[in-house]
Each structure stands twice: as structure tokens, then as C-alpha cells.
């Protein structure tokens, strides 16, 4: 088809959708729509993982980000009842400053990417490392220490969250 | 390539129609079952024994007045039930329905796709299923619908965790493959997984009840106490989609339980039976008998779901959360630890 393989077509379409949804996250006025566009962006990124033959990463990405974290985001935004109507109008000075800062950041990013085309892009399509079996073997042998450190970090965050939740009830009891 | 696309299209259409058909007749069977338990007759007017009742219900749903509240978020209000239905149907993709069939010299799997992460795919789709409820409840712009949506989705999130851990234990004891086909094929010789995972099955079954919003976890349905739930503002076929998706979920989760814990299309002495009938591998009769066995198990599970519904009273919200977090989660972790010890002595785990 027009000299491109199916994979290239899929990559093009997914990239276009991912960038479009990411822009929509920023440009929609309604916070709930923003969150939903972010979920769609995550789906597109999961599609990219699939193209790289990293199925496990793709599905875990959906389970963790789309299925858990974004649901909590949605919970908070729905319960706070943020709407396009209730969003405060920003002062003109704030807007100008935000525009300038954003422009400078864009400048830095573009500058950092200058010369990126000289980098060798490793073809990932034929790699088998993303399959569950290979990933598990690597994680539990070569990268066991960082893996366990990450689990301790998560445990600490879990305990911290419970502590914050608990303190509230103690104050109420007194 | 063309043959491949046609085969996949036929499989998709067949599984889709099967899910819809079973779900439609599950609504009738539920009412008949309720009538049997309450010593009534149940629907009996549409056709002999009420056989056309699902059709009549469908027509009724379509003909009802369609109300979209003025203050609602219109597009999200419509997307909500669609999303709930789509995620309900999507789970059926990875289920193998019968042994491979030989057609024109080729073996065809009777499964839409056999991905090697089938189990995690299932968990992923289940976790996305929450969005339909949340979007629908929020877009209604009604306090009671929003509270109902929060109630239903926090229930689903809470029970997903215990369900996932019960599945990890199952995968350890069934040989470590995440593909549903491997899990079911592994039960062909030897025992079904229920023998090694009785506690895991109990946890999974309770979580499946909660995930499908079935009694005793059917808080969204108690109109008298809690003003319905996330679908308070819905009418006509949009409400129908929400209610119908529940029956599809029930069918798919019955299929998953029958496959994971009760051998799916395998049954005791199946290979002896096939040998005595003189059937070769790939014969269509093997597929048919296997599918019949699987379908019988699925129907039994659907009956179990209904039996539970008409037997147990509804949980209160705090009881539901306590059961999920303080009972099922520790129990599933205990089951996981127990499974690892048992499998170590069975020789399935090597260090």
C-alpha cells in the first residue's frame, strides 16, 4: 500500500492519534474530557508497545495506567465537580507569562533534539525480550536487585498512603 | 491470506452471536428460575413457554421513549453504555471454545485469537470496564447517578485485586502459561485445576459475582434503598445495553471459570470416549462434543449465579468493602503462599 508495510501504516496512524489525543488533553476546557483523552493517549502508546513486540508491557500499561491510575483521577475530578463553567478565568498577565515559559521550554526541547537523527535506531520488531517468559527471566536474574528495590519503594508508598488515611480518622475520634 | 481473514471473520461473528444469544436467553432463564424458586410460573405468554420473551423485551426496550436529560453531557451520556457493552463483548476474544477442527487439510483453532498473555488481557479488559459505568454515571449530571457510579466502580476496583491474585495462584499451579488455551489443554490429562485450587476458585467466584454486579453485590439495582445507581437517568435501549451487558458479563465469566477451573472443553475419560468412537484428531465431532461439554459447564455456572441471586440478600456497602479488602485480599494472598508451597513439593517450581 503506497510503498509502506502494514507495520509502518499502523505506526503512522498510532503516532498521529497519540499526538492528536495528547494535544486534546491540553486544549479541552472540560477536565473530565481531558482525563478521557489522556486514557486514549495511553491506549495509543500501548499500541506502540505492541508494534515493538512488547505485549506484556502493553497490557500492563493498560491495566496500571488506564485501568487503575486514571480511574482514580476520574474519581477525584468527578467528585470535585470541575466543569468548563466553574474553571476560573486566568488574568491576562498570567497567560502571557505561561505562554513565554511554555515557548522557552519548547525551545529547549527542540534544541535538545537537534542532532537526534544521527542516533542509530535499533530495530525492535524482531526482538523477543518483551514476551513474558524472557522478561521474567531477565527481571528475576540480572535485574533482581533494582526490581526488589522498586517493590520496597512501592511498599513504602503504600504504607505512607495508609498512614495519611488513618491520621484523619484518629482526629475525628478525639 | 483471504482464507485466514474469512476464518477470523466467521469466528468473530460466531462468538459475538453466541454471546448475544446466550445473554438474551439468560434473561428469560433468570425469570423462569426466579419463578421456579418462588413457586410461580414466570413469563409464559410470548410463544410456547415464553420462548419469545427476550424478543418481546428487546422490542419493548427499543420502542420506549428515549430521554436524554437537558443538563447532561450529551456525547459522554451516549458513550457510557456503548463502552460498557464493548468491554463486555471484548473479553470473549481469548476464550478457546473447543479442540482444533480440521477443514480442508488445515487445522483451525476454535478461538478468535490465542495471545500468550491471555490472562492479563482479561484483567486489562475487566479494569477498563469501569469506565462505562463512571462515564455514564457522571454524564447524567445527577447526584444519585454519580454516587451510584462511584459505588459501583469502587466495588469493581476492590474486587479486581483479589481476583488477580487468585489468578496468579491458578497460573502457578497450571504450569506457568498465561495463554488460556495452554491452561485448558493442561487439564486434558490429569485433574482439572479445581483439585489444586479449591480456595482460589471460591475467591474467583465471589469476585466474579462482584465484578458482574450480580447479587449479593447488586447495589446498583436496589431502587428502593439507593435510588438505583449509575443508570438512574437512562431509559430505553441505553438502559437496555447496561442491563444486557450484565448478562454478557455473566456468560463470559461463567466461561472463564469453567475453562480455568473445570477443564473447559475437556471432561473425564474424554480421550477414551474419542478412541472408542474411532475419531481422529481434528474430527469435527470431537470439537462438537467438546463444545457441548464446555457449554454444559457454562450453563451450570449461569444457573449457579442465578441460584445465588435468589438465595442471598444484598450486602450493605461497608460489608461489601470489608469483605473485599479484609477477607478476600488476605485470603487470596494466603492461597498464593499455600500454592507456592504445594507446587514446590509437587515439583512444578524450580529454584
Amino acid at each position: 500500500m503506497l510503498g509502506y508495510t502494514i507495520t509502518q501504516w499502523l505506526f503512522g496512524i498510532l503516532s498521529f492519534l497519540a499526538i492528536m489525543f495528547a494535544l486534546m488533553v491540553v486544549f479541552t476546557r472540560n477536565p473530565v474530557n481531558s482525563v478521557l483523552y489522556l486514557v486514549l493517549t495511553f491506549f495509543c502508546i500501548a499500541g506502540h508497545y505492541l508494534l515493538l513486540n512488547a505485549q506484556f508491557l502493553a497490557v500492563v500499561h493498560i491495566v496500571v495506567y488506564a485501568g487503575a491510575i486514571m480511574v482514580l483521577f476520574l474519581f477525584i475530578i468527578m467528585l470535585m465537580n470541575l466543569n468548563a463553567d466553574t474553571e476560573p478565568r486566568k488574568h491576562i498577565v498570567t497567560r502571557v507569562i505561561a505562554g513565554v515559559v511554555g515557548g522557552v521550554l519548547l525551545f529547549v526541547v527542540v534544541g535538545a533534539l537537534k542532532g537526534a537523527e544521527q542516533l542509530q535506531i535499533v530495530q525492535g520488531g524482531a526482538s523477543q525480550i518483551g514476551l513474558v517468559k524472557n522478561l521474567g527471566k531477565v527481571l528475576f536474574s540480572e535485574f533482581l536487585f533494582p526490581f526488589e528495590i522498586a517493590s520496597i519503594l512501592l511498599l513504602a508508598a503504600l504504607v505512607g498512603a495508609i498512614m495519611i488515611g488513618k491520621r484523619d480518622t484518629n482526629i475525628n475520634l478525639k | 491470506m483471504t482464507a485466514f481473514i474469512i476464518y477470523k471473520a466467521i469466528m468473530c461473528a460466531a462468538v459475538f452471536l453466541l454471546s448475544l444469544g446466550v445473554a438474551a436467553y439468560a434473561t428469560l432463564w433468570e425469570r423462569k428460575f426466579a419463578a421456579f424458586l418462588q413457586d410461580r410460573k414466570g413469563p409464559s405468554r410470548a410463544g410456547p413457554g415464553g420462548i419469545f420473551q427476550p424478543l418481546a423485551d428487546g422490542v419493548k426496550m427499543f420502542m420506549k421513549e428515549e430521554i436524554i436529560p437537558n443538563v447532561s453531557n450529551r456525547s459522554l451520556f451516549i458513550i457510557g453504555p456503548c463502552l460498557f457493552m464493548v468491554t463486555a463483548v471484548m473479553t470473549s476474544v481469548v476464550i478457546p471454545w473447543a479442540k482444533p477442527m480440521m477443514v480442508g487439510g488445515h487445522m483451525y483453532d476454535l478461538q478468535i485469537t490465542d495471545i500468550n498473555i491471555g490472562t492479563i488481557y482479561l484483567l486489562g479488559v475487566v479494569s477498563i470496564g469501569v469506565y462505562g459505568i463512571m462515564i455514564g454515571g457522571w454524564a447524567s449530571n445527577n447526584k444519585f447517578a454519580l454516587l451510584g457510579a462511584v459505588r459501583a466502580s469502587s466495588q469493581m476496583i476492590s474486587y479486581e485485586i483479589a481476583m488477580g491474585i487468585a489468578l496468579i495462584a491458578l497460573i502457578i499451579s497450571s504450569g506457568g502459561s498465561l495463554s488460556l488455551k495452554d491452561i485448558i489443554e493442561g487439564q486434558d490429562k490429569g485433574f482439572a485445576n479445581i483439585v489444586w485450587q479449591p480456595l482460589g476458585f471460591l475467591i474467583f467466584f465471589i469476585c466474579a459475582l462482584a465484578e458482574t454486579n450480580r447479587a449479593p453485590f447488586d447495589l446498583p439495582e436496589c431502587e428502593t434503598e439507593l435510588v438505583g445507581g449509575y443508570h438512574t437517568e437512562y431509559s430505553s435501549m441505553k438502559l437496555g445495553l447496561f442491563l444486557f451487558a450484565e448478562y454478557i458479563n455473566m456468560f463470559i465469566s461463567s466461561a472463564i471459570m469453567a475453562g480455568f477451573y473445570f477443564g473447559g472443553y475437556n471432561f473425564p475419560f474424554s480421550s477414551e470416549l474419542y478412541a472408542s468412537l474411532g475419531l481422529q484428531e481434528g474430527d469435527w465431532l470431537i470439537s462438537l462434543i467438546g463444545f457441548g461439554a464446555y457449554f454444559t459447564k457454562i450453563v451450570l455456572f449461569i444457573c449457579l449465579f442465578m441460584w445465588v441471586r435468589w438465595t442471598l440478600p444484598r450486602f450493605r456497602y461497608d460489608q461489601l468493602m470489608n469483605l473485599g479488602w479484609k477477607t478476600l485480599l488476605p485470603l487470596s494472598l494466603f492461597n498464593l503462599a499455600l500454592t507456592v508451597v504445594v507446587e514446590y513439593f509437587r515439583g512444578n517450581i524450580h529454584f
Side-chain angles (χ1 to χ4, degrees):
Chain A
M1 282 179 285
L2 300 175
Y4 295 110
T5 60
I6 293 180
T7 316
Q8 281 168 329
W9 270 106
L10 282 176
F11 175 77
I13 295 169
L14 277 175
S15 308
F16 172 75
L17 286 177
I19 293 170
M20 193 185 75
F21 289 140
L23 287 177
M24 291 300 281
V25 174
V26 184
F27 287 128
T28 45
R29 304 284 294 172
N30 190 332
V32 171
N33 286 358
S34 230
V35 170
L36 294 177
Y37 279 122
L38 192 55
V39 174
L40 288 176
T41 315
F42 284 142
F43 272 96
C44 294
I45 293 173
H48 280 298
Y49 287 141
L50 281 183
L51 286 181
L52 291 169
N53 224 359
Q55 304 163 341
F56 181 72
L57 194 57
V59 179
V60 167
H61 185 76
I62 288 182
V63 172
V64 173
Y65 282 94
I69 293 179
M70 293 323 285
V71 170
L72 293 183
F73 263 64
L74 212 54
F75 259 175
I76 309 266
I77 288 175
M78 283 177 176
L79 288 178
M80 293 206 301
N81 200 19
L82 298 171
N83 285 319
D85 318 325
T86 55
E87 198 180 336
R89 304 286 294 174
K90 303 273 193 310
H91 195 268
I92 186 77
V93 178
T94 325
R95 288 195 201 182
V96 169
I97 292 174
V100 169
V101 171
V104 170
L105 186 62
L106 181 70
F107 190 72
V108 171
V109 170
V110 171
L113 285 176
K114 185 178 163 290
E117 71 269 15
Q118 293 159 3
L119 291 175
Q120 280 289 319
I121 296 170
V122 182
Q123 284 287 327
S127 164
Q128 298 294 310
I129 191 65
L131 303 184
V132 188
K133 207 170 216 167
N134 304 333
L135 201 65
K137 274 181 185 152
V138 175
L139 269 186
F140 285 101
S141 57
E142 203 175 330
F143 298 104
L144 182 64
F145 187 65
F147 184 73
E148 293 298 334
I149 290 290
S151 73
I152 289 172
L153 185 70
L154 286 175
L155 186 67
L158 200 71
V159 172
I162 290 173
M163 279 309 290
I164 291 172
K166 247 193 145 66
R167 206 184 321 162
D168 226 347
T169 56
N170 282 342
I171 289 168
N172 284 345
L173 283 175
K174 281 167 193 168
Chain B
M1 189 69 189
T2 325
F4 178 76
I5 290 174
I6 292 174
Y7 148 65
K8 288 291 181 194
I10 291 175
M11 275 312 297
C12 288
V15 171
F16 186 61
L17 290 178
L18 182 75
S19 320
L20 291 190
V22 171
Y25 275 89
T27 60
L28 172 65
W29 179 236
E30 169 126 72
R31 293 170 68 179
K32 283 280 183 192
F33 203 84
F36 167 69
L37 288 181
Q38 296 170 347
D39 204 13
R40 294 184 282 120
K41 271 189 134 172
S44 59
R45 296 305 167 100
I51 198 89
F52 297 124
Q53 189 65 36
L55 277 177
D57 283 341
V59 171
K60 182 198 80 175
M61 278 292 184
F62 270 111
M63 293 300 166
K64 272 186 164 178
E65 190 187 354
E66 174 91 67
I67 299 169
I68 297 183
N70 269 339
V71 285
S72 67
N73 186 327
R74 203 183 158 86
S75 50
L76 287 183
F77 190 78
I78 296 170
I79 289 173
C82 302
L83 204 62
F84 196 50
M85 191 73 182
V86 167
T87 47
V89 178
M90 262 169 75
T91 35
S92 61
V93 165
V94 288
I95 298 171
W97 298 99
K99 280 192 186 273
M101 198 162 70
M102 181 91 82
V103 179
H106 284 281
M107 287 293 257
Y108 286 105
D109 281 340
L110 295 179
Q111 179 183 16
I112 294 178
T113 177
D114 178 32
I115 47 181
N116 63 7
I117 42 161
T119 317
I120 320 178
Y121 168 86
L122 281 179
L123 287 178
V125 176
V126 167
S127 68
I128 297 163
V130 182
Y131 280 104
I133 290 177
M134 289 190 76
I135 291 173
W138 180 78
S140 308
N141 205 351
N142 174 331
K143 285 194 186 75
F144 296 106
L146 179 65
L147 285 176
V150 170
R151 212 162 49 219
S153 40
S154 50
Q155 169 185 333
M156 287 174 83
I157 296 170
S158 310
Y159 281 79
E160 254 167 42
I161 300 168
M163 187 171 168
I165 295 174
L167 275 185
I168 295 174
L170 170 82
I171 287 160
I172 291 173
S173 77
S174 72
S177 174
L178 293 171
S179 151
L180 268 77
K181 196 177 175 207
D182 290 350
I183 292 175
I184 292 182
E185 282 292 329
Q187 302 170 68
D188 193 1
K189 307 276 183 290
F191 292 115
N193 284 334
I194 179 76
V195 177
W196 305 110
Q197 286 289 323
L199 186 59
F201 169 70
L202 189 69
I203 295 166
F204 192 91
F205 178 65
I206 296 172
C207 292
L209 284 175
E211 289 291 320
T212 49
N213 283 333
R214 293 283 304 180
F217 305 100
D218 58 343
L219 295 165
E221 282 189 15
C222 39
E223 280 169 53
T224 42
E225 308 106 281
L226 294 169
V227 201
Y230 53 91
H231 47 47
T232 305
E233 290 286 345
Y234 280 90
S235 57
S236 181
M237 199 54 209
K238 290 200 192 61
L239 176 68
L241 281 182
F242 271 130
L243 300 183
F244 199 58
E246 180 190 314
Y247 284 90
I248 295 185
N249 278 330
M250 193 165 83
F251 169 58
I252 302 289
S253 45
S254 301
I256 290 169
M257 278 189 291
F260 275 169
Y261 292 98
F262 287 87
Y265 46 75
N266 302 305
F267 50 94
F269 308 111
S270 56
S271 48
E272 283 83 348
L273 175 73
Y274 297 145
S276 70
L277 289 172
L279 299 172
Q280 302 292 322
E281 196 186 342
D283 201 308
W284 63 273
L285 208 56
I286 288 185
S287 298
L288 191 68
I289 295 174
F291 179 72
Y294 199 179
F295 201 72
T296 314
K297 291 174 194 174
I298 293 173
V299 170
L300 286 177
F301 267 111
I302 293 179
C303 291
L304 187 61
F305 268 78
M306 291 169 182
W307 190 11
V308 169
R309 171 168 179 177
W310 297 107
T311 308
L312 295 179
R314 190 175 287 139
F315 277 115
R316 217 169 51 215
Y317 186 70
D318 58 327
Q319 294 170 332
L320 177 131
M321 283 293 148
N322 280 342
L323 178 69
W325 289 101
K326 294 185 184 164
T327 310
L328 285 184
L329 185 60
L331 208 58
S332 62
L333 285 171
F334 170 72
N335 181 46
L336 183 61
L338 191 71
T339 307
V340 171
V341 173
V342 169
E343 293 303 310
Y344 179 69
F345 286 111
R346 273 178 78 200
N348 287 347
I349 296 178
H350 312 284
F351 289 109

